Amino acid sequence: MPAGKFKLYQSAKEYLGDGTIDLDTSTFKIALFSSSSNANTLTNTVLANLTNQLTTANGYTSGGITLANVTWNRSAGTVTFDADNVEWTASGGSITARFAVIYQSGTVNGVTDALLCVSLLDTTPADVTAPNGNKFQINFNASGIFTSSGADVD
C-alpha cells in the first residue's frame, strides 16, 4: 500500500538543526499506531509522547522495525530522505493501523527516540488492515519519504 504523505514533527526541524537527529548516521525505525492515537499531533517530540502504538501481537513488534538502506541525497537543489519499503506479515490475527511514525532510535543530546515524521496511512481516513497470513506493507513515495527544497535566503 502506498503511504500517505509524511509530515515532519515540529520538533524534528529543531532536532535536525541542532544535530539531535542526523539523517546520515542515525538508526531510524518505523512504528504503527491505531486510529485512537495522538501520533498525528505534530507538537509531539518523542516516541514516549505517543499513545496507542500497536502492541506486540499478530506479527507486529512494539517499537516497529528498523528502516533499511536509509539515504539522504542532494540533487539539483532538492535533498531527499528515503529508505527501503517496509512490511510485516500478519500471523495469528490481523494487523490494523491508521498511522506510521518514523523516529530516531536511541538517545542523542538527552533526547530519547526523537520523532521525525508521521503518515496517515489512508487519507479517507480509514484503518488499514492486513488479514492473517497477508503482508502489511508500506511503500514509500517514489520521490522519497520526504524532500526539502527552498528559495534563496537574503
Side-chain angles (χ1 to χ4, degrees):
M1 137 198 71
K5 290 181 182 179
F6 275 84
K7 299 180 290 185
L8 288 178
Y9 284 97
Q10 292 173 6
S11 59
K13 298 167 191 171
E14 176 185 350
Y15 293 155
L16 288 165
D18 72 12
T20 299
I21 293 177
D22 185 331
L23 295 174
D24 287 321
T25 62
S26 295
T27 297
F28 293 94
K29 289 189 161 193
I30 186 166
L32 300 176
F33 293 81
S34 73
S35 61
S36 58
S37 176
N38 65 344
N40 208 32
T41 303
L42 298 180
T43 54
N44 286 307
T45 59
V46 295
L47 186 65
N49 295 148
L50 303 183
T51 59
N52 300 307
Q53 181 181 168
L54 300 189
T55 59
T56 297
N58 302 335
Y60 178 81
T61 301
S62 183
I65 55 177
T66 302
L67 292 180
N69 298 312
V70 173
T71 59
W72 177 243
N73 295 311
R74 183 181 72 191
S75 176
T78 298
V79 288
T80 303
F81 179 75
D82 203 5
D84 290 350
N85 296 331
V86 296
E87 65 182 39
W88 295 263
T89 300
S91 175
S94 297
I95 298 174
T96 300
R98 175 83 50 106
F99 304 102
V101 171
I102 296 175
Y103 67 96
Q104 175 182 264
S105 180
T107 302
V108 177
N109 294 337
V111 179
T112 301
D113 297 336
L115 298 176
L116 180 60
C117 54
V118 59
S119 173
L120 176 62
L121 295 173
D122 181 312
T123 58
T124 305
D127 288 342
V128 175
T129 299
N132 186 36
N134 290 283
K135 294 185 184 302
F136 190 106
Q137 297 176 309
I138 298 177
N139 298 320
F140 300 122
N141 187 295
S143 298
I145 297 170
F146 66 84
T147 59
S148 179
S149 62
D152 293 332
V153 178
D154 291 328

